Amino acid sequence: MDVEYLISIIEQYGYAALFFTLWLGIVGLPIPDEVVVMTGGAVTSMGILHPLPAFVMVYLGVISGLSLGYVLGRMLGISVLDRLRQKKKMDKYITFSENLVHKYGNFTICISYLLPIVRHIIPYIVGINKISFKRYALFSYSTGLVWTLIFFLLGRFFGKHVQTVGELIHHYGLQVTLLLIVLTFIFFIMKYVWGKKTTEE
């Protein structure tokens, strides 16, 4: 699934398409969450959807998809990880995620947002460890809000180039994310300063 096809689905089904694409991301849809969230921002810059309701649906899609992982982990226990391990290359991600939880505890929920694939595994592990939903929601929903906002704004900034940017982020993770955030903030600061100077003149 590429961005052009995703945009056509959004044009057809509107805000619901954003929500369900992210909510179903937990089952491994062939498009990274970063790309979907950025596409949500991109379609608002194209005038296809309005920014505020689009952002709300994207955010709800992100946190509900990850919350489903928590619920499944809590209800099914360790068997859910055994099923995940049957998928190709998942064992190393599960082991890495378990080590993160052991090392950083609840803060792993926040860290996981910056790590593709791991982001979906951590809620399972947190649920298996019987961490309360209230505690999970506190860490996950607050971090998810910031994460969603950043990628939504990046989508508005990069427009139709979101697939290339999103795939770079998905493959190279934290370094590319931080670089893009810094560059975006520099752009908006320069735009603000330039606009202020133009007004003063």
Side-chain angles (χ1 to χ4, degrees):
M1 184 189 293
D2 60 18
V3 167
E4 292 298 326
Y5 181 62
L6 180 57
I7 290 174
S8 70
I9 293 174
I10 293 169
E11 287 176 325
Q12 186 173 358
Y13 297 104
Y15 302 101
L18 288 173
F19 175 82
F20 284 107
T21 305
L22 287 160
W23 184 64
L24 294 172
I26 195 167
V27 299
L29 287 178
I31 184 166
D33 289 349
E34 295 88 348
V35 175
V36 180
V37 175
M38 291 173 70
T39 303
V43 295
T44 64
S45 68
M46 299 172 195
I48 297 172
L49 299 177
H50 295 290
L52 183 58
F55 174 77
V56 170
M57 294 306 288
V58 166
Y59 174 62
L60 291 176
V62 168
I63 62 172
S64 62
L66 296 177
S67 296
L68 179 59
Y70 169 87
V71 171
L72 291 174
R74 183 110 184 186
M75 291 175 61
L76 302 178
I78 198 71
S79 63
V80 74
L81 287 186
D82 292 336
R83 292 180 188 178
L84 284 175
R85 280 193 168 95
Q86 293 173 7
K87 293 185 178 182
K88 189 178 179 181
K89 297 181 180 180
M90 285 300 291
D91 189 57
K92 67 176 182 179
Y93 288 108
I94 292 171
T95 302
F96 178 74
S97 300
E98 288 173 330
N99 290 336
L100 277 181
V101 172
H102 179 72
K103 189 172 183 180
Y104 297 108
N106 294 332
F107 289 104
T108 308
I109 299 169
C110 305
I111 297 167
S112 68
Y113 271 93
L114 300 174
L115 304 170
I117 301 177
V118 172
R119 178 187 314 127
H120 288 286
I121 297 172
I122 291 298
Y124 287 113
I125 297 173
V126 171
I128 289 167
N129 290 336
K130 305 297 183 184
I131 292 174
S132 70
F133 182 77
K134 184 178 180 181
R135 184 178 294 273
Y136 166 76
L138 175 65
F139 285 92
S140 183
Y141 293 3
S142 56
T143 307
L145 180 63
V146 176
W147 182 87
T148 304
L149 179 61
I150 289 170
F151 281 96
F152 192 85
L153 291 175
L154 285 172
R156 283 182 62 83
F157 177 72
F158 286 104
K160 291 187 177 180
H161 302 289
V162 295
Q163 178 147 359
T164 302
V165 175
E167 287 176 353
L168 280 172
I169 292 169
H170 185 73
H171 289 297
Y172 296 103
L174 185 59
Q175 297 91 336
V176 175
T177 303
L178 292 175
L179 176 63
L180 288 172
I181 291 168
V182 169
L183 291 175
T184 303
F185 274 113
I186 290 172
F187 171 80
F188 281 114
I189 290 169
M190 289 178 66
K191 188 176 179 181
Y192 172 77
V193 172
W194 181 263
K196 197 171 181 181
K197 283 182 179 179
T198 304
T199 304
E200 288 174 356
E201 292 174 359

